[in-house]
Amino acid sequence: MPVYNESATVLEAIDDALTAELPVERRQLIVIDDGSTDGTSELLLEATLPDNVVLVRQPRNAGKGSAIRAGLAHASCEFTAILDADLEYRASDLGVLLEPLLAGDANVVFGTRSWSSHAAFSFWYVVGNKAVTFATNVLYNCWISDVMTCHKAMRTELFKRLRLRERGFAIEPEITARVLLEEERVYEVPITYRARSREAGKKLETIDGLRVLRTLVRCRVF
């Protein structure tokens, strides 16, 4: 769970991750505080967290990709999934992602967003997501429905093997690209999603779409 300036939601997100019904006997939650400056760090330090929660603190904001890589170093369960702290995604949906992994039907599972009117941030946000997803399918000769979904789950040993270097939001397409280059087929399942507003803390900008395209091309070529 990468966290940056999420004081309004982080404790609820942690509770959601710890209490959601999942088809596993053991769960580990790794919370990476990516140099928060809005009081999130203090909230996490003062909170009484159970033993299966690992708190990783980064001294300064280095980006979502950097936070994910820092968290992966502590992952010890058979499967690893990403869950943001902004409550746009629900931890209970991870159960749907885990089912194909536990059944041995897949090594990688993505949760696909439906883009209903009540769930979308804006018209151009949805168009941008569809555009970079289309670019992924063209560049990698695959068929993926939602490359930018946060809900990605896979075998931990595979996740740790991926050559990841992106520091920001472009970590999402980089994960996808590296998985495809490992010749893994992505299993997709529908999930619920509710995008928050810019006022509520939405951080993605137009420039991030260009960084996504750059990352997709870089991974395809190099």
Side-chain angles (χ1 to χ4, degrees):
M1 180 182 287
V3 180
Y4 176 62
N5 287 354
E6 301 288 2
S7 59
T9 58
V10 63
L11 295 183
E12 184 178 350
I14 289 173
D15 181 69
D16 185 39
L18 294 175
T19 59
E21 290 191 19
L22 301 177
V24 292
E25 295 182 0
R26 173 176 174 258
R27 76 181 73 185
Q28 175 194 39
L29 176 62
I30 305 166
V31 180
I32 309 96
D33 177 18
D34 190 29
S36 295
T37 58
D38 70 336
T40 297
S41 300
E42 291 74 14
L43 278 175
L44 291 172
L45 288 174
E46 294 169 4
T48 302
L49 301 174
D51 293 340
N52 63 334
V53 176
V54 177
L55 178 59
V56 179
R57 299 187 67 206
Q58 305 216 101
R60 62 186 60 86
N61 179 236
K64 183 175 183 177
S66 176
I68 288 174
R69 294 199 308 274
L72 266 177
H74 298 269
S76 61
C77 293
E78 184 178 2
F79 307 109
T80 296
I82 303 172
L83 177 66
D84 284 347
D86 55 16
L87 300 179
E88 290 187 328
Y89 298 81
R90 306 306 302 187
S92 57
D93 279 333
L94 292 176
V96 183
L97 272 72
L98 284 167
E99 288 175 3
L101 294 170
L102 291 167
D105 294 330
N107 292 324
V108 182
V109 183
F110 287 5
T112 299
R113 295 169 288 182
S114 65
W115 300 120
S116 302
S117 60
H118 66 277
F121 169 61
S122 70
F123 170 78
W124 290 112
Y125 176 72
V126 176
V127 168
N129 271 273
K130 290 184 177 295
V132 295
T133 296
F134 178 77
T136 303
N137 291 329
V138 170
L139 286 169
Y140 294 87
N141 189 28
C142 63
W143 187 254
I144 289 175
S145 303
D146 187 5
V147 69
M148 293 300 292
T149 179
C150 163
H151 262 9
K152 295 178 171 74
M154 67 188 76
R155 292 191 173 276
T156 301
E157 55 87 16
L158 170 60
F159 214 153
K160 290 186 174 184
R161 194 168 72 236
L162 302 180
R163 295 189 296 115
L164 304 175
R165 79 178 200 191
E166 287 293 336
R167 298 170 62 87
F169 291 113
I171 189 69
E172 301 290 3
E174 186 177 40
I175 291 170
T176 303
R178 295 304 183 194
V179 161
L180 294 172
L181 291 172
E182 288 277 336
E183 299 184 349
E184 294 284 353
R185 289 183 71 90
V186 176
Y187 194 112
E188 294 183 305
V189 295
I191 59 168
T192 55
Y193 175 75
R194 187 179 294 273
R196 58 181 174 171
S197 66
R198 187 74 67 194
E199 293 73 22
K202 192 70 176 176
K203 299 182 178 74
L204 276 171
E205 303 284 352
T206 302
I207 189 65
D208 291 306
L210 299 177
R211 292 181 179 127
V212 165
L213 293 174
R214 177 206 64 193
T215 299
L216 289 169
V217 173
R218 174 180 61 79
C219 293
R220 175 76 274 185
V221 175
F222 301 104

